Amino acid sequence: MVVAEVAAGLPVRDFRWYKGRRHYSGWYHATTGDRLVAYESRLELARILLADFARDVVGIAAQPFQVTADDGGRSRRHVPDLLLVHDDGLVTVVDVKPPDRAQEAKFVEQFAWMRRLCSLRGWNFEVWSGADPVVVENVRFLAGYRRRLVVEPRLFPEVLQAARGQGCVGGIERALASRHSVEMVRPALLHLVWSGALTADLSRPLGTRTPVRLAEEVAG
C-alpha cells in the first residue's frame, strides 16, 4: 500500500443520503491537502476538524481502504473511518465511535484486531470517542475562517505586528481600531490562529479576552 496514494484517494464505499437518516453526513473542505473529506456523523466531522487544525497532520483521508483478513479462524472485514498522515511520516488509522458503543464487545474485538494489523505496518491505531467539547467548538468556530477567501490577507502583517505588543484578541483589535474596523481585523486574526501563525488558549470559549501570542515566540 502506497500511503500517499491512499491519502489522496476517494472513500472506498459510497455514502447514502435519504430522508429520515439518523446520522448527519456530508463533505468538509479541508485546508490540509486542499480537498474534500467525507464524514458520516458529527463525531467524525469533529475528528476531521481537529486533524485539519493539527500542525503535524499533512494528509487526511476518509474511509481510506478496506481490510479483509483472518482473525483466529474468523474472517473479518472492516473499513476504518480515517487515515491521517503526519509530517514525520507516521500514519494513524482512526475509528470513530461514541463512548457507549466503543465499549461494546464486538467493537472492542474489532479494535484489537485493527490495532494488531496496524502495528505490523508500523502505524498507530486510534479509537476516538470525542475530546474536550470547548476545544472542539473553538476549532469548529475557527474553521469558519480557515480559507483566505473569507479574510483580508493584506491585514496579516499588521495583526502580527500588533500581537507583539498585545496579549489578547481584544487588545489586538483595539491597537488597530484607528485604521481598520473590528469586522475586518477579527477574521484576519482568527485565520492566523487557524493557520498557526498565532496561538490562542482554546481551553476556554474564544472571546476578546482570549490570550494570543505569536507562534514564533511560543516556539522560542
Side-chain angles (χ1 to χ4, degrees), residues 127-149:
V127 178
W128 197 80
S129 299
D132 183 335
V134 175
V135 173
V136 172
E137 287 309 308
N138 281 335
V139 172
R140 193 189 307 276
F141 178 73
L142 289 171
Y145 301 89
R146 67 190 184 278
R147 290 183 283 184
R148 292 170 68 97
L149 292 175

Side-chain angles (χ1 to χ4, degrees), residues 51-172:
D52 198 24
F53 183 65
R55 307 294 172 236
D56 68 317
V57 175
V58 296
I60 306 172
Q63 286 75 46
F65 54 81
Q66 179 174 278
V67 179
T68 303
D70 179 76
D71 179 23
R74 175 180 178 180
S75 179
R76 289 187 183 274
R77 182 174 62 186
H78 180 58
V79 177
D81 295 311
L82 298 169
L83 180 140
L84 309 179
V85 182
H86 304 269
D87 56 7
D88 60 359
L90 182 67
V91 173
T92 300
V93 175
V94 184
D95 268 334
V96 177
K97 277 286 183 293
D100 54 340
R101 298 203 66 197
Q103 299 304 314
E104 294 178 16
K106 63 179 180 179
F107 291 124
V108 171
E109 293 177 3
Q110 183 184 80
F111 297 153
W113 172 66
M114 282 298 299
R115 185 171 285 105
R116 290 195 297 272
L117 292 181
C118 287
S119 67
L120 294 175
R121 299 193 66 92
W123 294 355
N124 285 339
F125 177 72
E126 170 189 305
V127 178
W128 197 80
S129 299
D132 183 335
V134 175
V135 173
V136 172
E137 287 309 308
N138 281 335
V139 172
R140 193 189 307 276
F141 178 73
L142 289 171
Y145 301 89
R146 67 190 184 278
R147 290 183 283 184
R148 292 170 68 97
L149 292 175
V150 302
V151 301
E152 185 54 73
R154 66 182 177 85
L155 295 185
F156 292 168
E158 292 183 70
V159 173
L160 292 172
Q161 183 59 39
R164 296 184 183 278
Q166 303 292 332
C168 65
V169 169
I172 295 173

Side-chain angles (χ1 to χ4, degrees), residues 150-156 159 179-190:
V150 302
V151 301
E152 185 54 73
R154 66 182 177 85
L155 295 185
F156 292 168
V159 173
R179 301 193 296 279
H180 308 289
S181 67
V182 171
E183 291 76 16
M184 294 287 287
V185 173
R186 186 169 295 175
L189 189 160
L190 295 174

Side-chain angles (χ1 to χ4, degrees), residues 15-27:
F15 289 82
R16 299 176 181 176
W17 286 270
Y18 52 86
K19 185 176 181 180
R21 180 178 171 85
R22 296 178 62 186
H23 298 294
Y24 182 89
S25 58
W27 294 85

